């Protein structure tokens, strides 16, 4: 099979063909740093992480850019509400974002450009649009993109432009399809902007939201690149406007493949800051859930399907992950030196790898890829029950799991997952107490560990700690 993606531009599944052999330029719209990101946002970042890892798994050299929106209507509004400078306000959430992606084992992109560091690039694009007659200065001294001058406007969101009123304008960054209009590229300073402004040929002001992604993607990936992604709410107006500005300015095609993930929803509604129905990653970690559990829940549903978030489903991941952990522990215990089961293991690995790959290549069908892994686990457990897995076969099977975990990022073949440091210390103290024949202390430590929801099990190779 070959790699296929559902391209929002054409609303069809297409074979992926990179512009440059073996390389992929990938632009992923990043966080607006005015709050802690919620798990709906992280659905988008996890989908993009799976995309990135799949491309690498398929042998591509990936250059990923994820921008940080550190100036827009919301960052200005909230920094002023808190009485903080824009930079000190957004820097709190920039740092939180990087901590959070580490918790979720999201791989780092190659570039994280900040909008405030690319203002000159934005000004240059806007100047070129004015020169070409595609943008104009409005009577409020702001600069607007004239959508009637760009005949393919609406190509991404599939908007019928006949019957649209010419010359209507919209200044705010976010608006719905029913408000299709000339949009702001540069917003002339108003008093609500406080001290957030830059000089430009059109006077003091600040950029609109959409122009930043055109400027940063073109600066880091070139005028024409392979893949651009985001949540489906980014399709209009954000990505539609990006296409218009970029293509009108460069005269080249902007992006070949547009990929969008469906929303993470709660009680039938999109999880969002504005609706107030959101959980940040931190909320859930505080409640005792782990990054691995949240990652697993999110990636187990195909990115184009709605993901209905419930605590029951999050708790459900716990038993799945426990089974996986137990599977690896068991496989690692198959240490007897023998070649037993080698042929079966090779066959199984080959078949499973093909199934995992087929799933991922089919528009990142993670649920199919994970199903192939579960079948594999069942087969290996069965051969282990029959005591037919020798040491060499076990190593082969483990190596295969390490290989596919380059994409899943949550099997954790070699990691004792999320055991708190003090529990590990208590378990080690317990071993020491037993060596010292202080059994009362050893028992007390075991009880304390149990009371905290963990269990120490003694094995041939020492001890292991598992969730009780
Ligand atoms: P924002 O910080 O609002 O610019 O959003 C950052 C990313 O999260 C964008 O790609 C959004 O499309 C995405 N996003 C926001 N809410 C959700 C949601 N409930 N489900 C999936 N993706 C979302
Ligand atoms: Zn963007």
């Amino acid at each position: 099979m070959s790699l296929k993606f559902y391209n929002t531009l054409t609303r069809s599944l297409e074979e992926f063909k990179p512009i440059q052999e073996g390389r992929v330029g990938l632009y992923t719209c990043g966080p607006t740093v005015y709050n802690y990101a919620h798990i709906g946002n992280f659905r988008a970042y996890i989908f993009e992480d799976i995309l990135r890892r799949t491309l690498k798994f398929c042998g591509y050299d990936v250059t990923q850019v994820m921008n940080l929106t550190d100036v827009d209507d919301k960052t200005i509004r909230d920094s002023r509400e808190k009485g903080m400078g824009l930079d000190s306000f957004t820097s709190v959430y920039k740092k939180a974002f990087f901590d959070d992606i580490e918790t979720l084992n999201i791989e780092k992109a190659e570039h994280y450009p900040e909008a405030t560091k690319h203002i000159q690039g934005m000004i240059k694009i806007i100047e070129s649009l004015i020169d070409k007659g595609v943008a104009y200065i409005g009577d409020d001294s702001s600069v607007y993109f004239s959508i009637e001058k760009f005949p393919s406007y609406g190509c991404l969101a599939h908007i019928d432009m006949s019957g649209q009123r010419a010359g209507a304008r919209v200044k705010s960054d976010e608006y719905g399809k029913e408000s299709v209009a000339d949009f702001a590229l540069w917003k002339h300073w108003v008093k609500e902007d406080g001290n957030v402004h830059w000089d430009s040929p059109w006077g003091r002001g600040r950029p609109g939201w959409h122009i930043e992604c055109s400027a940063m993607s073109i600066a880091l990936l070139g005028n024409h690149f392979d893949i651009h992604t985001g949540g489906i709410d980014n399709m209009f107006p954000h990505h539609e406007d990006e296409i218009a500005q970029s293509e009108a300015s460069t005269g080249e095609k902007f992006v070949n493949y547009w990929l969008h993930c469906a929303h993470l929803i709660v009680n039938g509604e999109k999880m969002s800051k504005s609706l107030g129905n959101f959980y940040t990653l931190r909320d859930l970690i505080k409640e005792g859930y782990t990054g691995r559990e949240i990652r697993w829940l999110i990636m187990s549903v195909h990115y184009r399907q709605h993901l209905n978030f419930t605590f029951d489903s999050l708790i459900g991941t716990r038993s799945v992950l426990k089974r996986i952990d137990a599977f690896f522990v068991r496989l690692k215990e198959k240490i007897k030196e023998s070649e037993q089961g080698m042929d079966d293991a090779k066959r199984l690995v080959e078949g499973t790898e093909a199934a995992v790959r087929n799933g991922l290549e089919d528009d990142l069908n993670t649920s199919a890829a994970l199903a192939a892994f579960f079948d594999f686990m069942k087969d290996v457990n069965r051969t282990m029950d029959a005591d037919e897995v020798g040491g060499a076969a076990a190593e082969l099977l483990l190596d295969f799991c390490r290989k596919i975990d380059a994409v899943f990022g949550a099997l954790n073949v070699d990691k004792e997952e999320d055991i708190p440091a003090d529990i590990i210390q208590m378990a080690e103290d317990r071993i020491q107490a037993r060596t010292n024949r202080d059994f009362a202390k050893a028992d007390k430590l075991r009880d304390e560990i149990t009371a905290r929801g963990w269990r120490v099990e003694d094995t041939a190779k020492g001890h292991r700690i598992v969730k009780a």
Side-chain angles (χ1 to χ4, degrees):
M1 221 176 109
S2 54
L3 192 52
K4 290 195 180 72
F5 296 128
Y6 183 85
N7 191 348
T8 314
L9 197 60
T10 57
R11 306 286 194 275
S12 65
L13 206 58
E14 291 179 11
E15 188 178 335
F16 176 67
K17 292 203 183 82
I19 296 168
Q20 237 189 315
E21 175 121 10
R23 291 176 182 277
V24 180
L26 168 64
Y27 189 89
T28 50
C29 282
T32 306
V33 280
Y34 74 115
N35 206 328
Y36 297 106
H38 59 68
I39 55 165
N41 300 128
F42 284 114
R43 181 182 201 194
Y45 309 138
I46 288 174
F47 137 65
E48 287 151 355
D49 185 50
I50 296 286
L51 169 62
R52 167 195 173 83
R53 287 167 179 261
T54 298
L55 288 163
K56 285 168 67 179
F57 190 70
C58 294
Y60 290 104
D61 186 350
V62 178
T63 303
Q64 182 188 357
V65 179
M66 179 176 277
N67 67 292
L68 303 174
T69 299
D70 58 355
V71 55
D72 79 325
D73 295 348
K74 294 181 286 196
T75 43
I76 294 174
R77 180 196 65 202
D78 289 4
S79 61
R80 279 174 60 81
E81 228 171 75
K82 287 216 163 148
M84 289 172 83
L86 186 67
D87 282 353
S88 35
F89 174 75
T90 56
S91 66
V92 175
Y93 302 110
K94 284 177 189 166
K95 173 164 187 322
F97 172 72
F98 288 112
D99 291 345
D100 287 353
I101 59 172
E102 206 173 309
T103 304
L104 290 168
N105 199 21
I106 290 174
E107 276 188 2
K108 280 272 181 84
E110 281 61 34
H111 303 278
Y112 288 101
E114 298 163 318
T116 50
K117 307 264 163 48
H118 283 261
I119 304 286
Q120 291 315 313
M122 300 182 213
I123 290 177
K124 258 176 68 186
I125 296 177
I126 300 170
E127 276 184 310
S128 78
L129 293 171
I130 294 177
D131 287 348
K132 290 181 174 168
V134 191
Y136 61 92
I137 301 167
D139 50 14
D140 61 351
S141 303
S142 294
V143 184
Y144 291 89
F145 185 95
S146 171
I147 57 175
E148 65 170 342
K149 300 274 172 54
F150 187 72
S152 58
Y153 191 84
C155 62
L156 183 68
H158 290 200
I159 297 171
D160 178 10
M161 294 299 290
S162 60
Q164 296 285 348
R165 286 174 304 147
R169 288 193 325 230
V170 54
K171 194 171 177 190
S172 69
D173 289 334
E174 291 177 76
Y175 52 94
K177 271 192 204 170
E178 63 292 344
S179 314
V180 174
D182 292 354
F183 58 91
L185 296 163
W186 186 262
K187 303 185 185 191
H188 192 72
W189 183 85
V190 289
K191 67 175 183 330
E192 289 76 23
D193 290 344
N195 60 2
V196 179
H197 51 75
W198 288 265
D199 288 331
S200 82
W202 323 286
R204 273 195 327 185
R206 63 175 174 103
W209 171 34
H210 318 298
I211 191 71
E212 68 167 68
C213 284
S214 291
M216 289 186 271
S217 59
I218 289 172
L220 291 158
L221 296 171
N223 292 350
H224 177 209
F225 58 92
D226 298 291
I227 309 177
H228 195 317
T229 66
I232 192 68
D233 56 317
N234 278 166
M235 177 180 67
F236 187 85
H238 189 50
H239 292 162
E240 189 73 58
D241 292 353
E242 272 187 53
I243 294 175
Q245 303 153 163
S246 307
E247 297 192 352
S249 167
T250 66
E252 293 178 46
K253 186 177 170 93
F254 181 42
V255 168
N256 286 353
Y257 302 87
W258 288 89
L259 272 60
H260 294 100
C261 71
H263 285 144
L264 184 146
I265 55 176
V266 203
N267 298 328
E269 274 188 310
K270 175 195 172 194
M271 177 175 283
S272 73
K273 287 166 195 160
S274 52
L275 290 173
N277 60 351
F278 65 95
Y279 296 102
T280 65
L281 180 64
R282 283 139 198 266
D283 293 334
L284 297 182
I285 299 287
K286 245 190 256 154
E287 302 259 332
Y289 300 98
T290 66
R292 184 189 183 205
E293 287 162 355
I294 297 160
R295 180 179 174 94
W296 192 276
L297 174 68
I298 290 177
M299 79 172 172
S300 59
V301 177
H302 184 250
Y303 76 93
R304 282 196 294 114
Q305 281 176 11
H306 279 311
L307 194 167
N308 191 19
F309 175 79
T310 63
F311 280 97
D312 281 348
S313 52
L314 188 53
I315 290 166
T317 63
R318 220 162 248 184
S319 56
V320 174
L321 293 172
K322 218 163 125 182
R323 264 177 28 226
I324 293 173
D325 290 344
F327 171 69
F328 290 132
V329 168
R330 197 173 175 208
L331 203 45
K332 284 177 187 170
E333 282 173 358
K334 295 278 151 191
I335 45 170
K336 68 179 172 195
E337 291 291 327
S338 92
E339 289 293 310
Q340 198 185 1
M342 207 46 185
D343 288 344
D344 282 346
K346 277 186 187 152
R347 249 194 317 272
L348 193 56
V349 161
E350 227 168 78
T352 312
E353 177 159 355
V356 168
R357 196 178 281 277
N358 279 345
L360 294 170
E361 289 185 348
D362 181 17
D363 193 31
L364 310 176
N365 191 341
T366 39
S367 25
L370 287 172
F373 171 74
F374 287 128
D375 286 345
F376 162 88
M377 207 164 83
K378 202 161 73 200
D379 286 344
V380 176
N381 270 326
R382 208 171 24 230
T383 44
M384 285 198 286
D385 290 343
D387 203 18
E388 286 169 358
V389 182
E395 258 326 303
L396 182 84
L397 296 165
L398 285 164
D399 272 347
F400 166 67
C401 296
R402 290 182 185 107
K403 182 174 173 183
I404 56 174
D405 204 30
V407 180
F408 298 136
L411 295 180
N412 294 8
V413 183
D414 299 302
K415 211 162 114 193
E416 294 259 21
E417 170 63 14
D418 296 323
I419 305 171
D422 57 334
I423 300 283
I424 295 174
Q425 189 59 52
M426 281 195 263
E428 279 165 14
D429 292 349
R430 176 180 157 269
I431 298 293
Q432 191 56 48
R434 281 208 327 193
T435 313
N436 299 343
R437 305 191 66 75
D438 185 350
F439 297 113
K441 184 173 176 189
D443 286 348
K444 190 164 167 273
L445 282 163
R446 181 195 281 270
D447 291 345
E448 272 177 39
I449 292 169
T450 310
R452 291 272 308 273
W454 296 83
R455 195 171 66 231
V456 250
E457 292 177 356
D458 296 309
T459 70
K461 286 197 284 178
H463 70 275
R464 69 165 178 255
I465 307 167
V466 291
K467 269 223 166 110

